[in-house]
Amino acid sequence: MAVQPVVYGEGERPPRGNYARANDDYTCAQDWSAYTAQDHDTYRRLYERQTAQLPGLACNAFIESLPHLGAKERIPRFEDVNEPLYKATRWEIVAVPGLIPEEAFFALLAGRKFPVTDWIRKPEEFEYIVEPDVFHDLYGHVPMLFNPQLADYVQRYGEGGLKAARLGACEMLSRLYWYTIEFGLIREAGALRAYGAGILSSAGELPYSVNSPEPQRRPLDLLRTMRTRYKIDSYQQTYFVIDSFQQLFDMTEGDFTPLYAQMRGMPEFAANATGD
């Protein structure tokens, strides 16, 4: 059976990506030769703009690992990134045509395979794109997978996701992913720094998340985080902060089943809600 496109949230435009070329697990070959000179130039401009902002805003682990992506003037070949990545943390990246179902996503993470969308945004989408593209997935996520503690956390998240799917708790767990792997902040030497991919790949949200007085920043707490809704079409109004990647890993050790049962009897929080 052919795999089908996936839609999250509401939108009028159908999902982008050629799902006809995907395998049963939603992975596909990266068709590197199909990238145009314009595609490579878009990647180069995005890479240069984002990298110029990193000092004082991005965490040290990201800055130190970014060179492993290789040459910045073109979209990397995934196999070239996989060689140093596998040596560092036993992870690898796999191409996917676009957004994939939750269980397929969890299964890949549990197997230390990170799905990377292989198409890139159009020049007119340079400032903003709704769906993740190769720049967001590769530039935002992959450098952090070189960090052993964060890499182990992402695998643990995938394993937990498979269990959450059986328990009907994916929505709760997805909020933890959103507020850590996508939009997490860490405190380094007393200063806030970004480690979440959604921040690190965004020219606007990177300085906003660290320096703006507008959003609230709270210590990461599992119950509070997994009860907090989020928005996908604006800067975050709440960020959750960790003190170390080891803290993040340790916090997610153990069985979440009792937490899910507890949260089902508790109210949720709006994205901008204050208080506990």
Side-chain angles (χ1 to χ4, degrees):
M1 180 185 297
V3 299
Q4 299 297 317
V6 178
V7 179
Y8 293 108
E10 297 180 0
E12 296 181 358
R13 182 175 58 78
R16 197 177 313 184
N18 180 10
Y19 287 78
R21 60 195 180 93
N23 302 312
D24 290 344
D25 63 356
Y26 279 85
T27 64
C28 60
Q30 181 195 23
D31 189 3
W32 194 86
S33 63
Y35 295 129
T36 66
Q38 179 176 271
D39 291 336
H40 289 299
D41 186 62
T42 297
Y43 180 87
R44 176 192 62 79
R45 292 191 296 124
L46 287 165
Y47 188 111
E48 289 181 348
R49 180 179 68 168
Q50 204 62 21
T51 303
Q53 295 194 85
L54 297 180
L57 298 175
C59 68
N60 290 331
F62 183 85
I63 294 174
E64 292 168 0
S65 297
L66 185 60
H68 288 304
L69 294 186
K72 64 184 180 182
E73 68 272 7
R74 57 175 173 77
I75 300 169
R77 296 178 186 270
F78 291 177
E79 61 262 31
D80 292 340
V81 178
N82 277 336
E83 184 175 353
L85 179 59
Y86 190 80
K87 288 180 180 177
T89 59
R90 295 297 186 265
W91 271 83
E92 62 181 312
I93 57 176
V94 291
V96 291
L99 293 170
I100 66 176
E102 289 174 328
E103 289 196 59
F105 179 68
F106 296 147
L108 289 173
L109 297 188
R112 296 179 89 87
K113 299 178 187 292
F114 194 87
V116 175
T117 302
D118 64 349
W119 53 260
I120 193 164
R121 68 195 70 181
K122 302 299 182 184
E124 59 269 23
E125 300 170 308
F126 189 81
E127 296 298 333
Y128 175 74
I129 187 170
V130 176
E131 295 173 69
D133 68 344
V134 68
F135 179 76
H136 166 80
D137 283 344
L138 193 65
Y139 185 99
H141 283 286
V142 176
M144 291 306 304
L145 291 175
F146 282 87
N147 178 275
Q149 293 163 323
L150 198 283
D152 287 345
Y153 167 68
V154 177
Q155 180 186 24
R156 176 173 285 177
Y157 181 88
E159 293 169 343
L162 291 172
K163 186 170 186 178
R166 296 193 297 270
L167 296 171
C170 285
E171 177 61 28
M172 300 176 194
L173 195 64
S174 70
R175 294 168 182 168
L176 182 62
Y177 186 93
W178 186 264
Y179 283 117
T180 58
I181 297 170
E182 288 290 358
F183 290 95
L185 296 177
I186 187 170
R187 198 170 296 280
E188 291 185 340
L192 285 176
R193 296 291 183 264
Y195 72 90
I199 302 173
L200 292 165
S201 61
S202 169
E205 191 147 5
L206 181 55
Y208 171 85
S209 66
V210 174
N211 293 330
S212 174
E214 295 180 13
Q216 62 172 320
R217 301 172 181 88
R218 308 173 58 92
L220 181 69
D221 172 86
L222 286 179
L223 278 174
R224 180 63 163 80
T225 304
M226 290 196 285
R227 292 163 60 203
T228 302
R229 298 189 294 271
Y230 58 83
K231 294 185 177 182
I232 65 172
D233 56 356
S234 65
Y235 293 165
Q236 301 309 297
Q237 297 165 301
T238 299
Y239 296 96
F240 291 90
V241 184
I242 60 173
D243 293 315
S244 70
F245 295 121
Q246 186 63 47
Q247 172 200 352
L248 185 63
F249 182 76
D250 292 344
M251 186 178 290
T252 53
E253 186 174 13
D255 185 4
F256 276 21
T257 304
L259 282 178
Y260 297 145
Q262 182 180 354
M263 284 186 287
R264 286 192 174 98
M266 302 173 74
E268 295 186 338
F269 292 93
N272 63 345
T274 59
D276 298 310

